Each structure stands twice: as structure tokens, then as C-alpha cells.
Amino acid sequence: MSPHGTGTAARSAEPSARPPAPATGSGDAPAAPGTGGGEDPAPRAEALPGLPSTLAARARTLSAAVRSRCADLARMESPSGDAERLNTLAEELAAGYRATGAQVSREPGPAGDHLLLNWAGQDESLPHLLFVGHHDTVWPAGTLADWPVEEHDGVLSGPGVLDMKGGLALLEGAFALLADLGLRPHRSVRVVVTADEEIGSPDGRRVVERQLPGAAAVLGLEPPHEDGRLKTARRGVSRVRLTVTGHEAHAGNHPEDGTSAVDELVDQLVAVRGLATGLPGTELNTGRINGGTRANVVAGQAEAELGLRFSTPEAQRSTLDTLAHLTALRPGALVRTEVLSSRPAWPERDGNQLLRHVRSLAAALGQQLDGAPAGGAGDTNLAGARGLPTLDGLGAVGAGPHARDEHIELALLGPRIALLAGLLAVPLPRLGSRS
């Protein structure tokens, strides 16, 4: 894989694997039966002679290039809202994915361009496989000045390496691996890379949602749980801004002529905290507060940004409805509620055939893998909430997202590349609900 992911660095003396034989009928392999908690048989192993070992070997060879690619991407700072930096990174990503055979288009957005990538499959009649990712990070421009991207003690650390420059580099590496073997994905593949995921995808949501109808499955490139387990469900999340308008007055001479927006906001936040505590399945974080101008002026304006998380769709609907009907607690004040972004809760579902398929494929590659619900939200919420077969956490394994100890485990890059390449090449089982 070159700096633009050409997929040529993984060549070796090993014979190339033959493309897997297409499945009959719908083109999907039949779902493997459960085994009472054990691993399912390797998916269509009879049609894939030698492919797992070939993928694993080539992925190990390719992991150094993917490690370098991840570091290079992380050195291109891309904070949410910085359209110029995000578009520069989008161009770099487009070049890398295009080199692996992708058709690339850019969807303009107010905070930067989103990417839409397409690869042709062996059987174009099959429903597409959709990956979702993002290229914005929580880290402001200039973070690299005192926290550079560095490799040490078997990890790569730096702002954005885990969330999610690592996931983007891994998927590019998986496509490069297939191209190096002369393989195409079993079915057509689409990838959406949003520019505003870290602020709730207020614009990117529409780009993801346009790709959901007809998708066979949706896979997320967010990092997995720290122990490597995939994410099988996510809480809903909403960002809400409370804005209070009061009336300014001299705080010493005529305080009675004013209405303090700050005092009103403080009282509203106390009331909202009590409401959230009393609503099962709801968590509240008051993330930002500002207001007023001077200590001797009764504040005329104040606002707060709230982060809310929900275990169920019902909790989300109830809480947002309550916030939408807040009324002022003092005469002369006006309270306004604005939902800045929102993602629906993606509940855990029984009989997760997609997880069983991925677990079986991992076993064929010599890996142990499982899944569990996650507390955070992401763009996969949009698919999981609709009942589409969905898994997240297929990005780099590591720890510390959104924290100064953010890092990825370098030894686990190879296995992840192999798993992603296998998911692209191997027929899916029939997975049930499709939007």
C-alpha cells in the first residue's frame, strides 16, 4: 500500500487465492445455525479453500503500510467545523480509496465535504454492503504541537488515531489487500465518510440515510470496546441548546428593572436535572454554559448546551418532548429549546445473525471475537434503529478516544485488516430485516 493505498506492497511468493464461488439463489449464503454459545462453522468454508490463511498472511505483510497510513492521516488535523482542513483530508482519503478501485464522489456540507465511495462487486444484483465512518475529530487545530503522533511500546498514539483515522486506514488496507489478490468484493460496497460525526452528524445524517434503503448490512468503523468486542447496540443521543432571553439593567441602581437570563438558566438547569433523574433510561450532561456581559449588568442572554443519552426510543421521545415545553420560571424571561443534533437509540436485538457471521469468519481467521452494547452513539444508530442488520466497532483496537491517552494497538492491525477483507470477500448469510 503506497501513501495513497495502491495495494501493491503486500505481494509475496504465496500463490493468489481464487475468488470465492458465488452463492446460489439470492447470492447470500444460508445462515449458519447457532451452536449453543460456541462458534458457528466457518461461513461457506467449502467455497473458500485457502482464503483465510491467505488473507491472514497478506494482512500481516500489509500492516506496516496501514500503520504508516494511519499516522499520516492523524498528522492531518481535522477538527469538526474546520471545513478547510476537513476538505484537505477528504481529498487525501479520496486519493487513497480511489487507488484501490473506488468510485469517489464528494457531498458538500456546511462543515466540510462528506465522501461517498463505491466499489463494484462480483454480483451486482445483490443488496449492497454499507460501511460508515467519519474524518472529523474532537481535537482542535494545534493539538499536534504538544501532542505529536508517536509510536512507542507497541502502540501508536496521537489525536484521532483511534477515533477514527485508524478505522479509515484499515478499510483502505482491506480493499488494497483484495486488489493485490486480484479479488473484488462479493457484492457492491458503499462507504460514507461524514465530516461532522463528532457533533452528531447534523448534515452528514442525510448522506448516511440515503444509503440505507436496500442495504444487506451496515458496518461501522468506530473503535470497538477496549477488549476488542464489537458494538451490537448503542444508546440514543441528542445535543440540545437552552437559550434564555432576559432584560438588561444596571445591577446596582435599578436591578428591579432587569430580568436575569443567567439566574433563569441556572434555575432551568436545576429543574431539567431533576426531570432527567426521574425519567428512566435518560442521562444528562451539562457540557457548556455562557451568558451575561459584566458583573454590574443584569444578564440579558444566557445559554447552555446539554448532552443527553437514552437507553430506549421511548426515553428519548419523552425527554425531548419535556424539554420542548419548558416555560420560564420568572416574569420577563423567555426560554427556547433547540435540538442541535439527534441520533435514535439502537436497541439490542436477540438472534444477531450478523454477529454470528462475523464471529465465525473471525474464527476461520484464527481470531476470537464477540460483541456487546455500547454507551456512545454514532452514525450506525441510524441503521440499527431501523432494524437493519448492523454492527459497529470494526475499526482499530485501542483505548482513550477523546482523551489524551488515545492510542491503537499495533499488533492488532493485521488481524483487523484480514477480518475486514474477509467481510468484503465472503458471502453474507441471510440476515433478515432490510429497510
Side-chain angles (χ1 to χ4, degrees), residues 259-277:
T259 301
S260 173
V262 169
D263 288 349
E264 177 70 23
L265 178 62
V266 169
D267 290 345
Q268 289 287 343
L269 291 175
V270 171
V272 167
R273 181 175 297 279
L275 289 170
T277 302

Side-chain angles (χ1 to χ4, degrees), residues 139-165:
W139 301 104
T143 302
L144 287 171
D146 64 350
W147 183 25
V149 177
E150 292 181 332
E151 184 178 328
H152 55 88
D153 300 325
V155 305
L156 181 70
S157 64
V161 294
L162 182 68
D163 190 11
M164 63 175 340
K165 306 294 176 66

Side-chain angles (χ1 to χ4, degrees), residues 2 28 39 65 70 83 86-87 97 114 127 130 165 184-185 205 238 242 252 264 266 270 348 355 375 391 406 422:
S2 77
D28 293 351
E39 292 292 348
C70 176
L86 282 159
N87 288 345
Y97 283 115
H114 315 289
L130 177 63
K165 306 294 176 66
R184 284 194 305 172
R205 174 174 182 153
S238 296
L242 295 185
E264 177 70 23
V266 169
V270 171
E348 180 83 15
L355 177 62
L391 276 179
E406 182 174 2

Side-chain angles (χ1 to χ4, degrees), residues 220 222-226 228-234 346 348 352 355 370-377 380 390-394 401 416:
E222 295 286 355
H225 293 283
E226 290 188 13
R229 287 180 298 171
L230 303 182
K231 297 174 178 178
T232 57
R234 284 183 172 276
W346 161 25
E348 180 83 15
N352 193 327
L355 177 62
D370 212 330
T380 45
T390 305
L391 276 179
D392 208 339
L394 285 155
R416 202 56 130 201

Side-chain angles (χ1 to χ4, degrees), residues 3-345:
H4 290 307
T6 60
T8 58
R11 298 195 181 278
S12 71
E14 263 187 79
S16 293
R18 297 179 181 274
T24 58
S26 70
D28 293 351
T35 57
E39 292 292 348
D40 295 329
R44 291 186 58 78
E46 73 282 358
L48 306 171
L51 183 62
S53 61
T54 300
L55 291 180
R58 295 296 177 91
R60 285 193 296 272
T61 303
L62 195 59
S63 62
V66 170
R67 177 182 65 205
S68 177
R69 180 64 165 163
C70 176
D72 289 344
L73 295 177
R75 292 186 181 107
M76 299 179 70
E77 293 182 304
S78 55
S80 303
D82 192 328
E84 182 177 355
R85 283 184 169 85
L86 282 159
N87 288 345
T88 298
L89 179 56
E91 185 59 38
E92 176 66 22
L93 290 167
Y97 283 115
R98 194 178 288 118
T100 72
Q103 294 182 330
V104 180
S105 60
R106 290 171 66 160
E107 181 78 23
D113 292 354
H114 315 289
L115 286 177
L116 179 59
L117 316 168
N118 290 273
W119 285 261
Q122 295 176 44
D123 189 342
E124 289 289 284
S125 69
L126 295 175
H128 63 279
L129 179 64
L130 177 63
F131 284 85
V132 294
H134 64 90
H135 62 300
D136 63 322
T137 76
V138 300
W139 301 104
T143 302
L144 287 171
D146 64 350
W147 183 25
V149 177
E150 292 181 332
E151 184 178 328
H152 55 88
D153 300 325
V155 305
L156 181 70
S157 64
V161 294
L162 182 68
D163 190 11
M164 63 175 340
K165 306 294 176 66
L168 297 173
L170 282 165
L171 187 63
E172 185 181 311
F175 277 109
L177 190 158
L178 291 190
D180 189 54
L181 295 175
L183 298 176
R184 284 194 305 172
H186 180 250
R187 63 179 68 234
S188 62
V189 179
R190 303 179 195 176
V191 178
V192 175
V193 182
T194 58
D196 56 358
E197 190 276 342
E198 293 292 5
I199 55 172
S201 302
D203 184 67
R205 174 174 182 153
R206 63 180 175 85
V207 185
V208 174
E209 288 182 329
R210 282 209 305 263
Q211 306 306 318
L212 296 180
V218 180
L219 302 172
L221 295 171
E222 295 286 355
H225 293 283
E226 290 188 13
D227 59 6
R229 287 180 298 171
L230 303 182
K231 297 174 178 178
T232 57
R234 284 183 172 276
R235 289 187 294 178
V237 64
S238 296
R239 287 190 307 125
V240 174
R241 180 163 58 212
L242 295 185
T243 303
V244 178
T245 303
H247 184 72
E248 291 183 340
H250 194 293
N253 293 338
H254 300 289
E256 69 280 359
D257 293 339
T259 301
S260 173
V262 169
D263 288 349
E264 177 70 23
L265 178 62
V266 169
D267 290 345
Q268 289 287 343
L269 291 175
V270 171
V272 167
R273 181 175 297 279
L275 289 170
T277 302
L279 291 170
T282 297
E283 292 182 7
L284 167 68
N285 177 59
T286 304
R288 182 180 60 82
I289 297 177
N290 60 50
T293 56
R294 296 174 180 271
N296 61 350
V297 178
V298 175
Q301 293 286 331
E303 68 174 34
E305 186 172 323
L306 311 179
L308 294 137
R309 298 185 184 275
F310 312 96
S311 299
T312 65
E314 294 75 22
Q316 191 163 14
R317 283 193 296 268
S318 176
T319 304
L320 293 180
D321 182 67
T322 298
L323 291 176
H325 292 89
L326 293 177
T327 57
L329 302 173
R330 51 180 45 77
L334 176 66
V335 178
R336 185 165 65 95
T337 302
E338 180 184 2
V339 178
L340 301 175
S341 64
S342 191
R343 293 190 179 106

